[in-house]
Amino acid sequence: MKLSKLSVSLAALVMVAGGGAALAANPMVGGAAMYETKNIVENAVNSKDHTTLVAAVQAAGLVDTLASPGPFTVFAPTNAAFGKLPAGTVDTLLMAENKGLLTAVLTYHVVPGTLTAADLAATAKANGGKAVLTTVQGNKLTVWGKDGKWYVTDAKGGQAQITIADVKQSNGVIHVVDSVLLPG
């Protein structure tokens, strides 16, 4: 998919979050409305907070996958989350020769199925306070709550806070996170 199509798709994702009375429950993301009728890619291109993620998805060749019926649960790192990585990391990941590593990092943020915040909380409650999820990449993520906030811990012990939950998509749900998650 070309950048312009991805931008249009991600723009639609952003529109879903805050557009219209029928979609009032879907949050705005990156200053854009997110529409439940659009897929993950169609909405994400509109979020000014996810331009790095969109570029990475394009570089990894995952646009068609994330635009497919899914469903998927995506823990979507913001530009600021990518900015927390050591200097040069993003540029290195975006190099053609590192496509495999980039794909592994991105698919580590994706879980099969649609898992809302309520689903994650119920799973955590049923399992001693932690929901352990298997990602598309194959490694595990652990979701847990503390003081009314929800966090995701990666295989290396890194943590991301879910800052915007339940951004509904036609092919799943996005939870915005404030750090990039890294597979073991």
Side-chain angles (χ1 to χ4, degrees):
M1 179 175 277
K2 293 185 175 158
L3 179 59
S4 60
K5 281 188 176 181
L6 180 59
S7 296
V8 169
S9 295
L10 290 179
L13 174 62
V14 174
M15 294 172 146
V16 170
L23 302 174
N26 222 18
M28 297 278 290
V29 176
M34 298 285 117
Y35 296 101
E36 291 183 51
T37 58
K38 302 291 183 177
N39 66 48
I40 291 165
V41 174
E42 290 172 330
N43 276 313
V45 296
N46 292 319
S47 171
K48 68 177 176 25
D49 292 341
H50 290 91
T51 57
T52 303
L53 178 60
V54 169
V57 165
Q58 291 170 332
L62 294 173
V63 172
D64 289 341
T65 300
L66 292 176
S68 74
F72 304 108
T73 298
V74 177
F75 295 96
T78 61
N79 295 341
F82 281 100
K84 292 180 183 179
L85 295 171
T89 301
V90 173
D91 290 336
T92 300
L93 284 172
L94 292 175
M95 296 172 137
E97 62 267 27
N98 294 323
K99 183 177 178 180
L101 179 58
L102 177 62
T103 299
V105 169
L106 293 174
T107 57
Y108 188 60
H109 289 79
V110 180
V111 176
T114 299
L115 298 171
T116 65
D119 296 330
L120 294 171
T123 301
K125 183 177 180 183
N127 292 289
K130 296 181 179 181
V132 178
L133 311 173
T134 301
T135 69
V136 170
Q137 184 268 348
N139 282 337
K140 307 280 188 205
L141 290 173
T142 303
V143 179
W144 53 280
K146 181 178 179 184
D147 299 328
K149 296 179 183 177
W150 285 89
Y151 301 88
V152 184
T153 301
D154 65 24
K156 295 187 175 208
Q159 293 181 2
Q161 182 179 343
I162 297 174
T163 58
I164 303 173
D166 292 341
V167 184
K168 297 172 185 163
Q169 315 293 302
S170 66
N171 62 342
V173 64
I174 288 177
H175 302 292
V176 177
V177 293
D178 67 354
S179 294
V180 175
L181 302 162
L182 300 173

